[in-house]
Amino acid sequence: MAPTASTGSLLQTIAALVFVLALLMALAWAMKRYGPKAMGNSNKMRVISSLNLGGRERIVLIEVADQWIVVGASPGRINALATVPRQDADLAPLPASQNGPAGANFSEWLKQTIEKRNGK
């Protein structure tokens, strides 16, 4: 009679484990569906311009509060290259595929900054 009691106990333990796992999955789904949402679009940070340097390397100009930050981005790394006070020019964010006037101004600014750094 001992094997029957042990089998019933094992089945009861497995059923309880399955119930707890199902409950956890249901709670995870409910939190994902109805839980707190991530903040949508933040006006505190935006991409001003982007310049592709090669295959996957880019230089990006980002506005954070009242400063512009020049960032170098490659697949394995992101480096802050320079910080500049916010310019008065009204530059709308550009998609990465476009090189509009903002990209040209940024290119000129970057070229001047590099020349100053190298002492030319």
Side-chain angles (χ1 to χ4, degrees), residues 78-93:
I78 296 175
N79 293 328
L81 302 175
T83 302
V84 212
R86 183 179 184 274
Q87 305 296 315
D88 291 332
D90 185 25
L91 301 174

Side-chain angles (χ1 to χ4, degrees), residues 9-66:
S9 175
L10 180 62
L11 288 176
Q12 188 177 16
T13 303
I14 290 174
L17 180 61
V18 168
F19 174 75
V20 168
L21 290 176
L23 183 64
L24 283 174
M25 289 187 346
L27 287 173
W29 175 82
M31 284 300 294
K32 186 176 181 180
R33 173 121 181 157
Y34 301 110
K37 303 291 182 200
M39 297 303 282
N41 192 2
S42 174
N43 293 332
K44 296 178 182 178
M45 184 169 60
R46 68 181 182 140
V47 174
I48 302 297
S49 181
S50 175
L51 177 67
N52 288 330
L53 299 177
R56 299 188 314 183
E57 291 83 20
R58 303 170 27 166
I59 294 181
V60 182
L61 181 63
I62 301 172
E63 180 180 336
V64 179
D66 61 344

